[in-house]
Amino acid sequence: MRIWAAFMGVLLCGLVAAADERSEGIAKAEASTRAVAALAKADPTRPIFHVAPEAYWTNDPNGPLLLNGSYHLFSQHNPYGNDWGHMHWAHFTSPDLVHWRHAGIALWPSLSRGEEHCFSGSAIVGPDGLPRMFYTSIGPKTPADTGAEQWMAIGDAGGMHWEKSPKNPVMTLKLHGDLAVRDWRDPYVWKEGNEYLCVLGGEHEGKGAAYLYASADLEAWAFRGVLCEEPEAGRKGSWECPNFFRIGDTWVLIISRDGVRYFTGDFDIAAGTFTPKHQGTLDLGTHYYAPNGLLDAQGRHVLWGWATGLAGDHWNNCLTLPRALTVSTAGMLRSTPVPELAGLRSSPLPPGSALAPSCEIEITIPRGTRGLSGIRLENGGKEHGTQTFAVDWNANEVLLGAKRYPLGERDGDAMVLRVFIDRSLVEVYLGDGRALTEVWPGNGQSKLTLETFAEDAAAKPTVQAWNLAAIWQD
Ligand code: FRU
């Protein structure tokens, strides 16, 4: 009896200590971010309709989840500074994918359990109706390159309070037997029939790859094999943040490494083999990485990316707009900003009006035969210069700022460009589903002026523009 009581006492102390550490870890991190939130908010270059923690560093979107009709989204976050470090998961909630609340910190590194970082991952509702997060646990004894572990956290019914599972680690490198996998991280978990499947990124024998695992209960996992490896000889580096999902009959694998690529093809579930048939670049820009997505309430696959390279006063980076994905008949992955974003629009601006530094412009360019047609945006004074978005009908190219891209498939007889400018970030969407994320050289204060031009009068663009409101409801 006495031994039993002592055992219970030790167990209880352990649980209390873990709970204390959790509360302390989260409270300290939230206080740190909140202490500078007003400064970050006051920076005129900080985007207002893109998701980000209240202050400091953010990187990858993590664990997007639809739970009881509400959307939960998380992001890699350093609550202690403007650079990468101390990876926590910041939490955001939304009723509609467009209006968001900051929900503090969901996941913190448990220092007493040897964690230094909670790396990227995904979320899923478990068999008991409670949500689970899967993420990569990193610490001095479990280094990212050779010792990463996969951990699970269990949420309450509302997804607002997360506890780490006593079963952790739920996956270790031992699963691979003789296969030496390095930089093993970023679990992406989904349900397929009666079992749960997971893909993780990494590399073996110098080749980036995605690896497949299966589980009946989300706790005991088995390695099913290499799902896909780098097909290009000489292309180096581990694959990060794999996402693997079906759109219609097509399976899509997205991976990040020196930009974001996708493969579309067939997946033989029983054999665990993926046969890619097409591949492409998910975003044409140089400021997009590590996307993560979910199946939304309408059955759309919606994806957020990390918009990189945007530092300001006590903030650094944000997530991109939510993009709905579809697959074209040619196997290309198309991205379209979710139509709900129209809920942020002002009334349409009368032609010739100046635009606020956070705005949306829709440009329709009828087919032309020669020269350039498009818009020029004077970006808040001479010191910031002019940006052009246009089509070059001689070269059959699209001009987006300083860069040119081949003209792709087009919507009927007109090229439609949608441009979202958010103070220091721009996202451009082409009618054929290509997207581009870039830094916008705005000062965030000056209005933008817009003029249309066309060397071929038949290809004179028409423009609709709106100022866009902030997404934050808190
Ligand atoms: C991608 C990435 C992930 C990792 C996370 C760490 O940007 O390197 O592979 O989990 O960032 O913050």
Side-chain angles (χ1 to χ4, degrees), residues 22 25-26 29-30 62 74-77 79 86-91 104-110 115 117-122 133-136 151-154 162-164:
R22 176 191 177 280
I26 288 185
E30 288 180 346
N62 291 153
F74 307 86
S75 80
Q76 290 281 280
H77 173 46
H86 311 285
M87 284 296 112
H88 290 56
W89 282 29
H91 188 182
I105 302 277
L107 211 54
W108 78 107
S110 306
E115 274 192 314
H117 302 288
C118 300
F119 272 18
S120 289
S122 61
M133 283 170 174
F134 289 85
Y135 70 96
T136 304
W151 283 33
M152 178 170 78
I154 305 172
W162 299 82
E163 296 282 353
K164 288 175 196 176

Side-chain angles (χ1 to χ4, degrees), residues 61 64 185-188 190 199-202 208-211 227-228 230 238-247 250-257 259-265 274 276 278-283 288-294 301-306 323-327 331-335:
R185 55 177 172 264
D186 309 333
Y188 179 89
W190 78 101
V199 287
L200 274 141
Y211 307 89
L227 180 76
C228 187
E230 177 56 63
S238 64
W239 283 5
E240 296 186 309
C241 300
N243 277 212
F244 189 55
F245 52 90
R246 186 186 358 223
I247 296 184
T250 305
W251 281 85
V252 181
L253 174 67
I254 296 176
I255 60 104
S256 293
R257 166 57 54 192
V260 182
R261 274 180 296 161
Y262 65 82
F263 302 89
T264 56
F274 173 57
H278 305 279
Q279 65 165 305
T281 303
L282 191 55
D283 189 284
Y288 182 86
Y289 202 67
N292 209 332
L294 53 65
H301 198 93
V302 176
L303 200 72
W304 291 263
W306 166 29
R323 302 174 179 178
L325 299 181
T326 52
V327 179
M332 171 186 160
L333 203 54
R334 296 165 177 258
S335 308

